[in-house]
Amino acid sequence: MTGTREYVYTSGECRADGSYVVARRGAGSAGHRKVFESFEALTALYESLSTEFTADDLSGSGLTDSRRHIVLRHFVEHPRFDCELASRQPLTVRKL
């Protein structure tokens, strides 16, 4: 299944090759997106994180700069991930 779904801050794209792209909504630059091998790879990343995590906690997964914040926001917005934004400063997510 391919296609793009847009949320408030982010979008998610399922590509024909099986990869999954998390991007800042409306951004045209490659600096504002992260390509995962698959949606399952993104899910595995989420499951590897602690109950509460910040953008800095995503650094170990190879994400840099604004991509960490985009992925973190995508976790909050995508219905697959049962979590909420716990704090804006620093940007923190709490699993439910």
Side-chain angles (χ1 to χ4, degrees):
M1 180 175 204
T2 61
T4 301
R5 183 164 180 193
E6 291 191 343
Y7 301 97
V8 176
Y9 296 103
T10 67
S11 66
E13 177 187 3
C14 294
R15 292 182 171 173
D17 66 0
S19 62
Y20 186 79
V21 181
V22 175
R24 189 178 85 197
R25 185 175 175 200
S29 164
H32 297 286
R33 69 174 174 239
K34 171 63 179 164
V35 180
F36 289 89
E37 183 179 306
S38 63
F39 186 77
E40 291 75 21
L42 177 64
T43 301
L45 172 60
Y46 175 79
E47 290 173 356
S48 74
L49 296 165
S50 62
T51 303
E52 191 167 290
F53 58 94
T54 67
D56 285 342
D57 294 322
L58 297 172
S59 297
S61 63
L63 292 167
T64 59
D65 303 323
S66 64
R67 290 180 183 100
R68 294 180 297 194
H69 293 91
I70 293 165
V71 170
L72 190 137
R73 285 240 182 233
H74 194 67
F75 287 143
V76 173
E77 294 183 326
H78 195 287
R80 162 59 182 85
F81 305 105
D82 193 19
C83 61
E84 64 184 2
L85 189 62
S87 172
R88 292 179 187 262
Q89 194 66 345
L91 199 58
T92 306
V93 169
R94 179 181 308 119
K95 294 180 181 179
L96 301 175

